[in-house]
Amino acid sequence: ALPTRTRLVEQVQESLDSNWRSEHQPTVIHLNVDRFKNINDTFGHHGANVVLVEIASRLARVAARHGGQAARLGGDEFAIVRVVGDPDEAAAIGAAILDAVRAPVAHDGHSLRTSASIGVAGS
């Protein structure tokens, strides 16, 4: 299971405290699964949960690969916190996140395609 919104806020604060004199600053990448209501309406709560669990797992792997931490904010919203050195690095992580979310999710004989809206905020 991913950390929650509360832990995410703590991680951002810890990153700010430990990097305030550094060129490397905490970056938060926020994403929301597109058309998630349609998945829920079509496949029910169980199918929607299968999708959320798979996306959470993928995000955790992407975050770990890039030295960050993923968190679930609630519903179909997630975030990744990572200390980055420049905007290009944040963009590369964002691209990896989108690739992970776009990979089909198998459920009950169906191949569900997902996408996400993403935003990046840095200090």
Side-chain angles (χ1 to χ4, degrees):
L2 292 179
T4 63
R5 177 185 303 266
T6 302
R7 180 65 188 128
L8 174 79
V9 170
E10 291 170 355
Q11 289 171 331
V12 170
Q13 187 60 54
E14 290 167 6
S15 293
L16 286 169
D17 291 346
S18 63
N19 291 289
W20 72 276
R21 289 187 173 179
S22 170
E23 294 175 10
H24 298 87
Q25 295 299 314
T27 298
V28 176
I29 301 171
H30 178 267
L31 68 128
N32 187 21
V33 179
D34 295 333
R35 298 175 302 284
F36 186 73
K37 183 180 180 327
N38 293 347
I39 293 170
N40 197 32
D41 290 347
T42 303
F43 296 97
H45 293 297
H46 175 71
N49 283 337
V50 167
V51 170
L52 289 176
V53 167
E54 179 60 26
I55 289 175
S57 176
R58 293 175 185 182
L59 292 175
R61 287 192 303 269
V62 169
R65 193 167 50 243
H66 291 278
Q69 175 65 53
R72 181 165 178 217
L73 304 181
D76 62 341
E77 291 182 70
F78 298 88
I80 291 178
V81 176
R82 165 74 161 81
V83 176
V84 300
D86 62 58
D88 290 338
E89 187 178 357
I93 297 168
I97 290 167
L98 289 176
D99 287 344
V101 172
R102 287 183 187 133
V105 176
H107 172 64
D108 201 25
H110 297 277
S111 181
L112 307 176
R113 296 216 173 257
T114 57
S115 62
S117 298
I118 189 169
V120 179
S123 58

